[in-house]
Amino acid sequence: MAGSEEEARYSRQLYVLGGGARRLPESAVLVSGLRGTGAQVATALVLAGTGCVVLHDCGTVCVADRTQQFLLKESDLGQNRAKASQRALAELNPHVVVKAHTGELSEAFLASFKVVVLTESPLEEQLRVGDLCHARGICFIVADTKGLAGQLFCDFGEHFVVDDPAEGDPVSAAVEHISQGNPGVVTHMGTENSHGQLFHDGDLVTFSGVQGMTELNGHVPVPVHVLDAFRLEISDTSCFSPYRCGGLVSQVQQRQECSHKSLCQALAEPKIQVASPEDLPRSRSLHAAFQALHAFRRERGRLPRPRAPADAERLLELARSLRAQQGPLDEDIVRAFATVSAGDLCPVAAVVGALAAQEVLKAITRKFVPLDQWLYFDALECLALAGAAQLTEADCAPRGSRYDGQIAVFGANFQEKLGHQKYLVVGAGAIGCELLKNFAMMGLAAGPDGELIVTDMDTVALSNLHRQFLYRSADISEPKSVVAAAAVQRMNPDVRVTAHQNQVGPATEMLYGDNFFQRLDGVASALDTIEARTYLERRCLRCRTPLLDSGTEGTRGNVLAMVPSLTEPLRPASAPRDGAFPMCTLRHFPRTIQHTLQWARDEFEGLFQLPAEQVNQFMEDPAFLEQQLPGKVLEQVWESLREQPRDWRDCVRWARRRWQRCYHDAIAQLLHIYPPEHETSPGVPFWAGDRSCPHPLTFNPDNDTHLDYVLAAAHLFAQVHRVPPCRDRAAIQAMLRDVVLPPFAPQEGLQIPLTEEPTEEVQVPTDHRQLTELTQDLVQWRQELVGDEDTQAPLMEPIHFEKDNDVHIDFITAASNLRAENYGISPAKWQKSKRIAGRIVPAIITTTAAVAGLACLELYKLVWGCQELGCYRNSNISLSACLLLRVQPPPAHTYRYGGREWSCWDRLELRAVGADGQAVTVQEVLDWLQRIHGWTVTMLLCGDTVLYDSKADAETRAWQQAQRLSESLEDARMPQQQDLELLYMCEGEDAEAEDSRPPLLCSLP
């Protein structure tokens, strides 16, 4: 059943953290240091619903803090940093207690916390607090950022137990066969979305629904040895009964214990986690660099000055002394680190702060394996930008500006360039909010001619609030883009931000045409569908506009940079085939909970949406009856009108009849056609392999699932017919005990398709007399209803499935679980049913914050105007494993066409305006291609419209050649466009050249 308001708020996060999320409201976390990294950690924890977050900082707010500390306002200058941050954080989540502490971090004070996070702390304090936490069993985290680099350290104690190490649900598969032997061999099927093997050596599995070898059902978990993608060895089955059919083999979650050293020990003997072994020397050098930085600060009382060679060399000397016993040192890395270590960058703080916050959530929820024990992150490739090496100490010196932390890295001239940018952000959801927050801190479009446009059609919902930082409870139902733009203005009033509420797609190309995209400096995609992301990629490719594409799912995320003429255009993964299961599987032979949930979704639409739409159309359109073919639709309309309830009791009776039809009669009919002992051929049982033999259910009003179904179905049926519902379970039970239904009588001669192969349908002769009577009844019904003053228009209320409507999910969950019981499939809980049926992508603030930070690091390079492929990075992260992989994007591919080499970014551009100011003719386009490129065109198309075909007859060709491009569009009833993309084919081109030719773009008057 549905959960609380808090559960609705955190629903997407629950799919990431699982049952361990229940521990969050009971936990207290200390975050020490409230500059950029600490602010990111604290914000993520408050949004995630941590019970108590205590902020510690003894410093006061200064102007430079606002480079990366997004919680502070100008009015906070001079105030304590923790207290100022506490006021902002308290607004984020009413279910979280946020406190400020400005005193000492004593042992007594620390004792009450589940997790302690230190940011911006001197090494001496880290060691002292680390030892206290290690001794008391308090999970301890250090997170620090300096310039373009960051470090993360975790100590969760010597015996930290992870309850659930894996991401996602445990895998399960339908059993095809189990041998009798020692060991027994299980042959199982794959799943619709599986690639490679589902199980791994050492996994523990259980069995359910096995027929024949029933000894395995309910057996203690057994370890497996994987033979191949579809076969597992298990324990001795030689004494078990022979396997007959059916069953499910399911992975069992196994706990995992981790052992961590204290910070004091881990400094000298570091265990550093890296994405690949090649990264280890770099991380070891950064480990020494951070220690050397602490030593430099103790020695000089400050950080190295930006771009000061003497300071960088001194830090390098300190690092050399530290690395003497630990192997070679990459001196270029240390020197680069030192050069910008005084800098503060919001994107770096976002990445490291998000990683640290995820480790806090691991400590509390015991979901996912924690970091073991050090992680280093850097974007020092930014210093290889052309001209960056020539920046001087004067270029990067403080200006008393809110951007001083950024100027320390990139210089004052670059900051001015950031202000001039014109950017489009498509999507103001989770990633969009984090991007906009970062843009405000960076000063993107904060200059007099800057422009930042954010567009989103959606409105704020309760389930957004746990990860979409710019929104509050008061903003629910307000347009996201408008609320987000206002939040950006509050963070940085200089940013010139404009909110749109439009989709960017084919329907809005009059607003977002080629001219619009070509005047932009870049586009940031924060979209959540493959189709929308693909469209945006095509628009940016066509207009040669840089694009930053970001996406997340659970703890995984990626950032892809598309740079004109430099990188390969983006190719987002193909869209998942939601609900694309074989129809015969859904209707008659389900074997997984995904099948029964999709069946329940189809039931919902077939019961509460389509019939109401058909009846309303019948009532509103006098020609409806004449437009329908004889048969099903008319019968459905007649049936819907006949079933109209008079009151709530009628709705309950209808739901009870539907229960009987779905979970008893339909199954009894299937078993009448194919009895349990039925054989496909002699000795080959029908109910085997991917077919599990079902059993009918017997209704019991005292069974919670049975009652849940009737209650939800009756409620929805009542809503469709505008009957007031009732939620009194006891009253409904009493009604149900009085319902008497006729006994089941099987139908003879009914055929059930066993495959998806098309079969010839038996043509049943139309019964014209019956059809005439049915039509007459419907006409009379409509006249009576139209003449009834009490009849509302439209007559019925179609209900469209909504994943955040609890009654909808109540129905889906009960309907699916009852069908699962029919077929011996393990049921799914309410939340899991909501996720699968609603096709909800698991989401959490930590991943979106990290991804947005990584995207903004690439934006620095785009604004700089970098044309060195080696400076850019595509990123993939997995916060569950604390892995971050950043690789150089693939270069733009080239191809040969028409005797020369082309880049995938090349295009032919024709100003299609004649001397008379009119659009040119088709013949003029053909002549231009012949004159400029020497190509003889055989066919010219605009979309599916043929503008010229050399194989047409002479009269048709002459007419085509004389047509102006604008006239051709009018004749084809295509919308008027200023910019056309034409497809052409030429004499002598290769058969494989269809997708390998430069596009022809024509600008009309």
Side-chain angles (χ1 to χ4, degrees):
M1 296 296 288
S4 61
E5 187 252 334
E6 291 96 324
E7 196 169 29
R9 173 188 286 260
Y10 305 123
S11 61
R12 276 51 169 179
Q13 176 178 280
L14 288 172
Y15 300 132
V16 180
L17 299 179
R22 293 190 301 270
R23 301 188 181 104
L24 281 169
E26 305 161 2
S27 301
V29 178
L30 172 69
V31 179
S32 177
L34 266 298
R35 298 186 73 243
T37 307
Q40 186 67 62
V41 174
T43 298
L45 296 179
V46 171
L47 290 173
T50 308
C52 179
V53 178
V54 177
L55 314 175
H56 171 258
D57 198 309
C58 297
T60 55
V61 178
C62 63
V63 172
D65 285 340
R66 303 188 70 201
T67 302
Q68 53 175 342
Q69 223 285 29
F70 48 87
L71 299 172
L72 303 175
K73 302 188 292 289
E74 191 169 356
S75 58
D76 294 324
L77 292 173
Q79 299 186 36
N80 175 268
R81 208 177 279 124
K83 291 181 178 179
S85 301
Q86 185 269 339
R87 289 191 290 272
L89 287 170
E91 298 174 357
L92 285 180
N93 192 336
H95 306 290
V96 175
V97 176
V98 184
K99 300 177 180 178
H101 175 73
T102 58
E104 181 191 355
L105 297 182
S106 65
E107 183 173 0
F109 176 72
L110 294 172
S112 62
F113 294 103
K114 174 74 177 176
V115 189
V116 170
V117 184
L118 298 188
T119 72
E120 304 287 339
S121 296
L123 182 58
E124 294 76 17
E125 184 174 62
Q126 293 176 9
L127 291 168
R128 180 181 67 83
V129 174
D131 284 344
L132 288 173
C133 290
H134 191 83
R136 283 184 166 268
I138 300 168
C139 295
F140 175 65
I141 296 171
V142 173
D144 202 2
T145 59
K146 291 290 181 286
L148 285 163
Q151 73 171 174
L152 184 61
F153 170 78
C154 290
D155 171 16
F156 288 6
E158 296 174 13
H159 304 285
F160 182 81
V161 176
V162 182
D163 292 336
D164 184 4
E167 186 163 13
D169 299 320
V171 298
S172 60
V175 175
E176 286 192 304
H177 185 263
I178 306 173
S179 69
Q180 287 177 295
N182 186 13
V185 176
V186 179
T187 304
H188 65 83
M189 301 186 67
T191 64
E192 282 79 6
N193 300 316
S194 64
H195 302 282
Q197 63 190 44
L198 295 173
F199 301 93
H200 299 89
D201 283 344
D203 280 352
L204 295 179
V205 300
T206 58
F207 293 85
S208 60
V210 174
Q211 298 182 38
M213 196 177 286
T214 55
E215 296 89 343
L216 283 175
N217 295 331
H219 196 281
V220 295
V222 295
V224 302
H225 170 61
V226 177
L227 297 177
D228 55 39
F230 303 105
R231 292 187 306 148
L232 310 171
E233 279 185 352
I234 58 172
S235 54
D236 186 359
T237 61
S238 57
C239 298
F240 291 173
S241 306
Y243 173 81
R244 190 163 66 82
C245 65
L248 203 66
V249 54
S250 301
Q251 182 187 49
V252 176
Q253 292 173 344
Q254 299 182 63
R255 289 185 165 194
Q256 185 172 330
E257 184 174 293
C258 303
S259 181
H260 286 170
K261 297 177 182 177
S262 67
L263 176 61
C264 183
Q265 293 175 289
L267 271 174
E269 303 168 1
K271 292 172 67 177
I272 303 176
Q273 190 162 306
V274 290
S276 65
E278 293 78 16
D279 296 334
L280 191 55
R282 186 183 190 94
S283 291
R284 283 177 173 161
S285 296
L286 286 169
H287 184 73
F290 269 91
Q291 289 184 71
L293 189 65
H294 285 294
F296 185 98
R297 199 167 195 170
R298 284 195 302 272
E299 179 182 284
R300 304 285 179 91
R302 60 173 174 80
L303 293 171
R305 291 189 181 90
R307 308 284 174 168
D311 283 359
E313 290 304 315
R314 177 56 187 153
L315 189 139
L316 180 57
E317 290 174 13
L318 293 168
R320 287 187 189 122
S321 65
L322 288 168
R323 285 294 293 170
Q325 301 106 7
Q326 297 180 21
L329 184 72
D330 188 328
E331 296 192 355
D332 289 338
I333 291 293
V334 177
R335 193 178 284 111
F337 167 80
T339 300
V340 294
S341 58
D344 290 317
L345 297 178
C346 181
V348 177
V351 174
V352 176
L355 290 168
Q358 187 66 51
E359 295 305 305
V360 175
L361 296 177
K362 291 178 186 179
I364 296 172
T365 65
R366 296 181 180 267
K367 172 74 173 176
F368 308 131
V369 177
L371 170 65
D372 188 25
Q373 284 188 264
W374 291 97
L375 178 78
Y376 286 90
F377 165 78
D378 78 87
L380 292 171
E381 74 278 355
C382 291
L383 300 183
L385 296 169
Q390 284 70 52
L391 288 172
T392 66
E393 193 171 346
D395 294 327
C396 301
R399 265 72 172 166
S401 157
R402 66 177 294 164
Y403 306 116
D404 276 354
Q406 199 161 249
I407 290 171
V409 178
F410 295 109
N413 289 340
F414 177 76
Q415 188 60 51
E416 187 176 341
K417 196 171 183 181
L418 271 169
H420 295 320
Q421 296 297 295
K422 293 177 173 59
Y423 258 76
L424 169 68
V425 178
V426 187
I431 297 175
C433 282
E434 291 298 311
L435 286 172
L436 290 167
K437 176 252 295 180
N438 293 347
F439 290 170
M441 296 297 98
M442 295 159 62
L444 186 76
D449 57 348
E451 185 177 20
L452 178 60
I453 298 170
V454 54
T455 185
D456 196 307
M457 296 174 64
D458 205 0
T459 56
V460 179
L462 176 61
S463 62
N464 300 149
L465 300 185
H466 82 277
R467 68 193 188 282
Q468 299 184 14
F469 163 71
L470 300 182
Y471 309 132
R472 308 290 183 268
S473 298
D475 299 321
I476 290 175
S477 300
E478 295 297 321
K480 283 186 175 180
S481 60
V482 174
V483 178
V488 168
Q489 283 267 279
R490 287 194 297 273
M491 287 183 188
N492 189 342
D494 293 332
V495 175
R496 297 174 177 270
V497 59
T498 306
H500 291 188
Q501 297 176 50
N502 306 312
Q503 182 183 28
V504 178
T508 56
E509 287 186 2
M510 295 302 290
L511 290 172
Y512 306 116
D514 286 1
N515 288 341
F516 174 85
F517 275 93
Q518 286 165 357
R519 72 178 180 84
L520 295 173
D521 293 298
V523 175
S525 167
L527 294 162
D528 56 5
T529 69
I530 296 296
E531 295 81 7
R533 291 168 73 179
T534 301
Y535 172 83
L536 196 58
E537 178 268 327
R538 288 174 181 162
R539 292 294 292 163
C540 290
L541 174 63
R542 169 171 164 156
C543 298
R544 300 175 63 84
T545 305
L547 171 66
L548 294 171
D549 179 82
S550 309
T552 68
E553 181 178 358
T555 64
R556 296 185 298 274
N558 71 292
V559 175
L560 303 173
M562 190 173 87
V563 187
S565 303
L566 200 62
T567 67
E568 181 78 358
L570 307 184
R571 301 292 180 217
S574 59
R577 297 168 62 226
D578 289 330
F581 300 118
M583 193 57 66
C584 62
T585 299
L586 296 181
R587 288 179 177 172
H588 308 295
F589 311 117
R591 57 184 184 274
T592 68
I593 199 67
Q594 286 80 6
H595 295 155
T596 63
L597 283 165
Q598 182 58 45
W599 176 87
R601 275 288 306 266
D602 295 343
E603 270 283 286
F604 187 101
E605 183 179 290
L607 294 176
F608 310 120
Q609 178 189 332
L610 296 180
E613 290 174 344
Q614 291 168 349
V615 167
N616 289 344
Q617 190 178 356
F618 157 73
M619 290 293 296
E620 295 163 4
D621 184 1
F624 176 80
L625 295 176
E626 291 75 22
Q627 295 168 356
Q628 305 304 316
L629 294 173
K632 195 170 183 180
V633 173
L634 296 183
E635 291 175 3
Q636 287 174 342
V637 172
W638 186 86
E639 186 72 18
S640 297
L641 292 170
R642 186 182 67 82
E643 288 182 331
Q644 270 192 295
R646 294 163 297 177
D647 53 26
W648 172 244
R649 186 178 293 271
D650 281 351
C651 297
V652 173
R653 290 195 187 102
W654 173 88
R656 172 67 181 88
R657 291 194 300 272
R658 188 69 195 177
W659 190 102
Q660 191 72 12
R661 178 177 175 181
C662 291
Y663 305 110
H664 182 275
D665 296 357
I667 301 301
Q669 179 67 47
L670 181 61
L671 293 175
H672 176 74
I673 299 170
Y674 300 113
E677 67 278 2
H678 184 74
E679 294 183 342
T680 305
S681 58
V684 179
F686 176 84
W687 295 105
D690 59 353
R691 298 192 195 116
S692 296
C693 186
H695 67 278
L697 305 183
T698 301
F699 185 80
N700 178 3
D702 296 321
N703 182 299
D704 283 342
T705 308
H706 297 195
L707 191 58
D708 288 345
Y709 175 90
V710 172
L711 183 58
H715 188 286
L716 292 164
F717 191 68
Q719 182 181 339
V720 167
H721 291 278
R722 297 191 172 91
V723 171
C726 171
R727 302 289 290 182
D728 187 336
R729 291 175 73 88
I732 294 170
Q733 281 179 308
M735 292 182 202
L736 291 170
R737 295 185 202 284
D738 296 335
V739 176
V740 178
L741 299 179
F744 169 72
Q747 291 181 260
E748 301 297 339
L750 205 62
Q751 292 186 347
I752 291 178
L754 302 180
T755 68
E756 288 299 287
E757 296 297 323
T759 56
E760 292 187 14
E761 294 186 8
V762 178
Q763 295 295 321
V764 179
T766 302
D767 187 332
H768 292 286
R769 179 180 175 183
Q770 183 182 2
L771 179 62
T772 300
E773 291 176 354
L774 179 63
T775 305
Q776 289 173 346
D777 286 347
L778 288 172
V779 170
Q780 182 177 350
W781 226 322
R782 181 165 57 198
Q783 290 173 345
E784 292 173 358
L785 290 169
V786 169
D788 188 347
E789 294 181 359
D790 294 331
T791 300
Q792 299 183 46
L795 184 63
M796 295 169 67
E797 178 185 335
I799 303 176
H800 293 264
F801 175 75
E802 171 50 56
K803 60 182 176 289
D804 288 318
N805 186 301
D806 288 349
V807 177
H808 296 192
I809 301 301
D810 288 347
F811 174 83
I812 294 292
T813 303
S816 169
N817 286 343
L818 288 167
R819 188 159 177 82
E821 187 179 350
N822 280 137
Y823 284 87
I825 299 168
S826 298
K829 293 182 179 179
W830 194 89
Q831 282 287 351
K832 180 177 179 180
S833 299
K834 176 178 178 175
R835 174 174 62 82
I836 297 173
R839 295 159 196 162
I840 295 173
V841 177
I844 192 166
I845 177 60
T846 49
T847 313
T848 53
V851 160
L854 292 167
C856 290
L857 288 172
E858 301 311 301
L859 183 134
Y860 282 138
K861 302 164 191 177
L862 290 173
V863 174
W864 192 276
C866 175
Q867 286 299 307
E868 291 292 329
L869 184 65
C871 287
Y872 288 96
R873 296 290 183 269
N874 286 346
S875 299
N876 286 280
I877 60 171
S878 173
L879 299 193
S880 61
C882 207
L883 287 177
L884 173 55
L885 180 64
R886 302 176 73 228
V887 297
Q888 178 180 301
H893 73 267
T894 58
Y895 59 92
R896 292 195 65 80
Y897 182 82
R900 58 161 285 192
E901 190 172 82
W902 301 83
S903 162
C904 58
W905 286 93
D906 287 335
R907 73 271 335 284
L908 311 179
E909 297 182 358
L910 169 63
R911 187 170 184 274
V913 182
D916 57 359
Q918 301 284 323
V920 298
T921 63
V922 169
Q923 182 60 54
E924 287 176 292
V925 175
L926 303 180
D927 291 344
W928 183 83
L929 286 168
Q930 177 70 57
R931 183 175 68 256
I932 300 299
H933 298 284
W935 299 339
T936 301
V937 175
T938 57
M939 182 167 284
L940 188 67
L941 303 98
C942 182
D944 295 329
T945 302
V946 177
L947 304 182
Y948 173 74
D949 183 358
S950 64
K951 294 182 180 179
D953 59 67
E955 184 179 349
T956 300
R957 287 200 312 275
W959 177 82
Q960 290 173 336
Q961 291 165 320
Q963 286 280 94
R964 296 186 185 274
L965 290 183
S966 53
E967 294 170 340
S968 300
L969 294 181
E970 291 172 7
D971 292 341
R973 297 184 178 180
M974 294 178 66
Q976 285 297 317
Q977 303 171 56
Q978 190 173 3
D979 302 293
L980 296 181
E981 182 171 339
L982 304 185
L983 175 66
Y984 54 90
M985 284 168 269
C986 301
E987 283 184 357
E989 72 176 31
D990 296 334
E992 298 178 358
E994 182 178 345
D995 296 321
S996 301
R997 61 170 66 83
L1000 172 57
L1001 303 183
C1002 298
S1003 300
L1004 298 181

